[in-house]
Amino acid sequence: MTDARRTVEALAAALGERFGTAFAVEADTADGLALAWTDGPPADQVAEAARVPALTSAAAEGLAFHRALSERAVALGAIRLAASPSPLACGLPVPVSPAGIESLRWRTPAPATATPREERLVYSLLYEVHDDHHSNHVTPQQVCDGLAHRGIATLLLPSGAELTPAEVLTARYAAAHGHLAWRHRLATMPVPVLLRAVREDPQASPECRTAARMLEAEETETAPA
């Protein structure tokens, strides 16, 4: 083992204690060394912390920093990107890609803290994608493709997560109204459209009628005096 590698190994151990993340020392393609880790702090934060006097010029030369994202971090990033406000006129999300997820997490620790609903969605997405490929390991691209193929709504409904009244009704009527934004990013239909759909539906379930009454009450409470 060279002196440079010993120095970087010691640095990796020190950074591991500081960030609570396991850092590995790997050979880089540029004939240098790299610190590699999964999730945890962003690369620029680690690079800043690595600027210490103990890192000799020989060890610092060409030292690279490579953070990978775990399947859970990728799935959470994909779900958040898909559910974010859409810049497209049709309301559908922009395509979710590994590069987009990495950009989302570039300057922030990963994985981010997830809400209970997001935890259910992440579990459902990874379960389905693993099943698709009959594998215990899937790539970021496979996670993105699995979400694009299904849409978030198809993961939410069987997950057991509690739905809002607007979500209950949108889940019932979105297909009939061609509301693809619900399937792909959980965008609910406008309240007046939902209430009209219930009124005009002779087969509306008790759950839907209850959700409609709750929506009407919410509209009354938020209406200007």
Side-chain angles (χ1 to χ4, degrees):
M1 181 183 294
T2 65
D3 290 341
R5 188 176 184 100
R6 288 193 186 91
T7 301
V8 177
E9 292 276 9
L11 176 65
L15 291 173
E17 291 184 4
R18 173 172 176 176
F19 291 110
T21 300
F23 291 87
V25 180
E26 299 177 349
D28 193 50
T29 54
D31 296 328
L33 295 174
L35 285 176
W37 67 102
T38 299
D39 294 341
D44 57 353
Q45 186 177 356
V46 175
E48 180 64 28
R51 296 192 181 99
V52 293
L55 192 63
T56 63
S57 58
E61 185 176 356
L63 181 62
F65 302 89
H66 301 312
R67 181 181 70 169
L69 295 179
S70 65
E71 290 181 0
R72 179 184 176 278
V74 170
L76 179 58
I79 288 166
R80 287 187 172 177
L81 279 180
S84 62
S86 174
L88 304 179
C90 63
L92 293 180
V94 296
V96 175
S97 66
I101 296 168
E102 179 60 38
S103 177
L104 179 71
R105 303 250 58 87
W106 183 253
R107 297 188 179 279
T108 58
T113 301
T115 65
R117 169 180 285 206
E118 288 175 330
E119 290 285 7
R120 289 176 180 268
L121 290 170
V122 166
Y123 176 84
S124 295
L125 176 57
L126 291 179
Y127 179 88
E128 294 294 340
V129 176
H130 284 157
D131 189 60
D132 287 344
H133 298 277
H134 307 290
S135 173
N136 291 326
H137 173 73
V138 289
T139 67
Q141 187 62 58
Q142 288 170 334
V143 173
C144 292
D145 290 344
L147 181 61
H149 173 69
R150 289 176 173 82
I152 307 180
T154 59
L155 299 171
L156 176 66
L157 297 179
S159 72
E162 184 176 356
L163 304 185
T164 66
E167 289 174 337
V168 170
L169 296 180
T170 301
R172 162 78 175 173
Y173 299 109
H177 288 257
H179 195 70
L180 291 176
W182 162 251
R183 176 186 176 91
H184 290 285
R185 62 182 189 88
L186 295 183
T188 56
M189 295 163 57
V191 171
V193 175
L194 292 173
L195 295 179
R196 185 172 64 251
V198 176
R199 288 194 298 268
E200 296 174 352
D201 182 6
Q203 297 182 332
S205 67
E207 181 185 22
C208 287
R209 296 192 184 280
T210 299
R213 288 194 294 271
M214 294 174 68
L215 274 185
E216 288 176 328
E218 291 174 5
E219 289 290 285
T220 302
E221 291 175 358
T222 58

